Amino acid sequence: LTHPLHGASMAARGLERRLQRAAAAGETNAVEALIRDGADPGCQDRKGVTPLMLACEHGSVDVVRALLAAGAPWNELDNDGHCAGEWASGSGHPELTAALIEHAVQAEMVLGAVGRTGHSRAPDLSYLQQPVRYDGDDKLLDTENDAVMMDWEAPLMERHAQVICAARGDVLNVGFGMGIIDGYMQTHKPRSHTIIEAHPDVFAHMRRTGWTDKKGVRAEFGRWQEVLGDLVARNESLSGGNRNPAARLFDGVFFDTYGEDYDDLRDFHALLPKIMRPGGIYSYFNGLAPDNIFFHTVYCRLASAELASLGFHTAFQVCPIDTADPKIWHGVKRRYWWGSQYFLPTCTLAGGGGGGGGVEETEKEAGAKSSGNTGGGRKRKK
């Protein structure tokens, strides 16, 4: 006799196989019926392939909609590290790829809003409690030889500095690292230059190299959450708040930390309208999911949409970057950049009459399948 649980398991697998076939064939009615009968819309075969991937491969828009409506995960990976969006783009279905990006952005925005409702996250201080070391002039490493920062980023930092220092006003950099962007910021002769750094070893390096005594530079030791929280509180205590001439505000802001995730970036973004002047420029190291162009595109669009709700217009400038030479990564445990292009964000706060340069380029770059997973770039922890 067949054990009831074994029989139920066999029946479920049978439903899943039929769902896979129906999705591949573009049979919307069959897909919906099988889901009603209990088939898992997110099931995977032995190669990790989901019904959503098969529907994307064949360009079956209605099947894709049915699967997503039933809860099929947009970000599942097959055994080769490819997601449904890459199956769509790699099979020549750009409109379907764009629709998946939009679905992913909306899903992540909802999840982010739900996650922030009534919940306070405990800070992860583990990175700040571990030593870091400067390995020559070209890299900063943590205890596991993961790179905190490397000098191949210099051309990107130079361009970031040009963007945020355009007004030559008051500028802020959160996360000193190797000081690459701060050196470039100084060449633009800003009115004032503030640096927030939380790691004691990095701040000690700043002291040794003279940054804490540099004219026009204000080096503040501590987590940005506390430092900027105090700044916002002081501004709000003034008569008229940020409209008071004594309020401490910035014309350009750059963010590049290590040991923090996208939720921390969200929290930082929420502070920006409280610390920036109208028309100010914000940018950040755009290193989320660099080994998967589809996920990277979703993060670009997600950040853009969430910043728009805070009054920012965001544009991305495409910058070529070559990190293919293995010598670059010698002595580094994990490579944290894979692409040949970097999408540099320029985020302009409304009210200043200005506009960001560049164009939204990321969707069209989601065409080639990429290997790897959804890792967050170099552990963006500084």
Side-chain angles (χ1 to χ4, degrees), residues 44 47-57 68 72-91 96-97 100-101 104 289 291-298 366-374:
Q44 295 177 277
K47 296 182 179 180
V49 176
T50 67
L52 183 62
M53 294 171 187
L54 295 171
C56 286
E57 181 182 30
L68 291 175
W74 66 269
N75 55 352
E76 189 63 78
L77 298 175
D78 64 21
N79 293 354
D80 293 323
H82 300 141
C83 66
E86 291 173 289
W87 279 69
S89 61
S91 301
L96 185 51
T97 305
L100 280 167
I101 290 170
D291 51 359
N292 185 304
I293 188 60
F294 185 84
F295 291 146
H296 187 60
T297 301
V298 169
K369 287 186 177 180
S370 60
S371 62
N373 54 39
T374 61

Side-chain angles (χ1 to χ4, degrees), residues 50-336:
T50 67
L52 183 62
M53 294 171 187
L54 295 171
C56 286
E57 181 182 30
H58 293 90
S60 303
V61 176
D62 290 339
V63 173
V64 168
R65 288 173 178 163
L67 289 166
L68 291 175
W74 66 269
N75 55 352
E76 189 63 78
L77 298 175
D78 64 21
N79 293 354
D80 293 323
H82 300 141
C83 66
E86 291 173 289
W87 279 69
S89 61
S91 301
H93 305 299
E95 292 183 0
L96 185 51
T97 305
L100 280 167
I101 290 170
E102 182 61 25
H103 170 84
V105 170
Q106 294 303 317
E108 291 302 302
M109 289 183 73
V110 170
L111 286 173
V114 171
R116 293 191 298 275
T117 302
H119 298 283
S120 59
R121 296 182 299 114
D124 181 2
L125 305 179
S126 57
Y127 163 68
L128 301 180
Q129 297 165 351
Q130 300 173 2
V132 296
R133 60 187 175 87
Y134 291 85
D135 186 1
D137 296 325
D138 63 343
K139 62 180 73 75
L140 173 61
L141 304 174
D142 68 10
T143 54
E144 297 180 356
N145 287 333
D146 273 320
V148 177
M149 193 171 195
M150 299 178 68
D151 69 347
W152 67 260
E153 299 175 39
L156 304 180
M157 295 297 114
E158 182 177 19
R159 180 58 187 145
H160 276 293
Q162 291 172 353
V163 166
I164 66 171
C165 294
R168 295 192 177 183
D170 302 299
V171 297
L172 165 67
N173 175 35
V174 179
F176 180 80
M178 293 171 63
I180 298 174
I181 192 169
D182 293 291
Y184 285 123
M185 289 165 71
Q186 282 289 290
T187 67
H188 294 279
K189 302 186 185 309
R191 181 166 53 237
S192 72
H193 181 175
T194 298
I195 306 169
I196 299 175
E197 175 54 56
H199 198 288
D201 292 347
V202 176
F203 199 80
H205 175 79
M206 292 176 66
R207 289 188 184 280
R208 289 194 300 270
T209 53
W211 277 96
T212 55
D213 300 318
K214 192 178 291 288
K215 183 179 180 181
V217 172
R218 180 171 180 167
E220 302 202 41
F221 176 64
R223 298 176 66 238
W224 61 262
Q225 290 88 339
E226 282 82 32
V227 174
L228 293 180
D230 290 344
L231 185 153
V232 169
R234 288 194 297 271
N235 285 350
E236 291 178 345
S237 70
L238 299 172
S239 175
N242 281 5
R243 293 187 298 275
N244 191 305
R248 188 176 167 209
L249 300 171
F250 300 100
D251 302 289
V253 175
F254 184 67
F255 183 85
D256 183 13
T257 64
Y258 186 83
E260 298 184 315
D261 56 25
Y262 189 79
D263 286 332
D264 296 293
L265 186 64
R266 271 190 175 121
D267 291 343
F268 183 78
H269 288 172
L271 282 176
L272 288 172
K274 301 177 182 179
I275 65 171
M276 293 184 68
R277 294 189 178 94
I281 303 295
Y282 163 65
S283 193
Y284 59 93
F285 184 84
N286 192 10
L288 293 162
D291 51 359
N292 185 304
I293 188 60
F294 185 84
F295 291 146
H296 187 60
T297 301
V298 169
Y299 274 121
C300 288
R301 297 306 301 271
L302 178 60
S304 178
E306 293 181 338
L307 283 164
S309 71
L310 297 169
F312 287 87
H313 169 265
T314 300
F316 294 92
Q317 177 187 1
V318 180
C319 302
I321 190 74
D322 183 5
T323 61
D325 188 346
K327 293 179 182 178
I328 294 175
W329 304 101
H330 178 72
V332 175
K333 181 179 179 181
R334 288 180 288 189
R335 179 175 173 176
Y336 63 83

